Amino acid sequence: EAGVAQSPRYKIIEKRQSVAFWCNPISGHATLYWYQQILGQGPKLLIQFQNNGVVDDSQLPKDRFSAERLKGVDSTLKIQPAKLEDSAVYLCASSFSRLAQDEQYFGPGTRLTVT
Amino acid sequence: EDQVTQSPEALRLQEGESSSLNCSYTVSGLRGLFWYRQDPGKGPEFLFTLYSAGEEKEKERLKATLTKKESFLHITAPKPEDSATYLCAVRVGGSNYKLTFGKGTLLTVNP
């Protein structure tokens, strides 16, 4: 079974520029998550999709971050404009559903450096 | 607010030296406590889910236990390949069952 795919793996941009990350979840997984992991910390949920609808975006900085999951499969996360504090690893995860017993499978992440 | 605290932040062991990692939590309506392993440059990899106090699960040299306030990840006779960051996360009830992670424990096992 193929895992969660993410691209790019690394990205370096200057502050105030924009950037986009792409995620392809495991086939058949209805729930997709985007996490932000700052160095030395655990992942923090940014947004959760159930199919193509948003379930939770309470921790997404909506003035600069946006995400979409068209057709309920692939997803993109965009930052515009980027700030220095956005430097982090952005992890995508998926699960079969959002029920409590479903484990989440994580992709390798995109490491973003904002200079 | 849900809180998850892991200790120690870092742990160095000699190969074969058993020890435990701690995850204490303050949540209402726990719907599962998860342990993940994260290697450098990779996403977290699922290890265990525990649902109720007294529950235990084992996988090779790892054993996870759960009480009403904390969870332990016991590592028996560790090997260098067990070196990684171990993350604890809690899931609470609600409409989205989201995970709240701790900061992790960086484990280094020296040969």
Side-chain angles (χ1 to χ4, degrees):
Chain A
E1 174 179 85
V4 176
Q6 290 188 247
S7 67
R9 291 296 315 277
Y10 306 91
K11 190 74 177 178
I12 300 174
I13 62 172
E14 295 182 352
K15 60 183 178 183
R16 291 187 289 274
Q17 286 187 326
S18 63
V19 64
F21 312 126
W22 174 81
C23 172
N24 181 241
I26 292 173
S27 177
H29 280 195
T31 311
L32 185 146
Y33 314 79
W34 282 102
Y35 289 87
Q36 180 192 60
Q37 186 174 23
I38 293 173
L39 186 64
Q41 297 188 19
K44 182 184 83 171
L45 180 69
L46 293 175
I47 189 167
Q48 178 182 342
F49 291 93
Q50 178 68 19
N51 295 311
N52 60 351
V54 176
V55 175
D56 185 348
D57 63 357
S58 58
Q59 298 190 94
L60 186 73
K62 299 180 186 62
D63 58 335
R64 298 183 300 106
F65 286 64
S66 64
E68 62 182 9
R69 191 184 183 196
L70 300 177
K71 302 180 181 179
V73 182
D74 293 6
S75 177
T76 56
L77 176 70
K78 296 180 181 178
I79 307 175
Q80 182 181 5
K83 293 185 175 181
L84 295 176
E85 58 260 37
D86 297 332
S87 293
V89 174
Y90 290 85
L91 295 163
C92 179
S94 69
S95 62
F96 182 73
S97 74
R98 58 188 172 94
L99 295 177
Q101 64 266 31
D102 287 334
E103 68 179 82
Q104 296 181 20
Y105 295 83
F106 284 81
T110 296
R111 181 175 296 278
L112 174 67
T113 302
V114 182
T115 63
Chain B
E1 183 178 320
D2 302 331
Q3 287 196 328
V4 181
T5 303
Q6 292 189 245
S7 63
E9 291 185 4
L11 180 63
R12 284 187 176 271
L13 300 174
Q14 288 298 121
E15 186 172 1
E17 179 187 2
S18 301
S19 188
S20 296
L21 313 182
N22 176 265
C23 172
S24 62
Y25 59 92
T26 305
V27 301
S28 56
L30 183 71
R31 293 291 182 270
L33 185 139
F34 295 72
W35 283 98
Y36 282 83
R37 168 189 171 131
Q38 187 171 27
D39 292 299
K42 295 187 177 181
E45 175 187 350
F46 172 78
L47 293 174
F48 305 106
T49 309
L50 303 167
Y51 290 103
S52 57
E55 188 175 0
E56 299 181 352
K57 288 191 177 176
E58 290 188 62
K59 180 180 180 180
E60 296 180 356
R61 295 177 291 282
L62 300 177
K63 179 181 177 180
T65 62
L66 181 65
T67 72
K68 289 186 178 181
K69 293 184 178 181
E70 58 191 349
S71 177
F72 292 93
L73 184 65
H74 307 278
I75 304 175
T76 302
K79 298 182 178 181
E81 52 262 42
D82 295 323
S83 298
T85 295
Y86 290 85
L87 295 164
C88 167
V90 297
R91 172 176 272 162
V92 298
S95 62
N96 60 5
Y97 296 104
K98 72 177 184 181
L99 291 182
T100 299
F101 282 85
K103 292 184 177 181
T105 293
L106 175 61
L107 174 67
T108 303
V109 181
N110 296 316

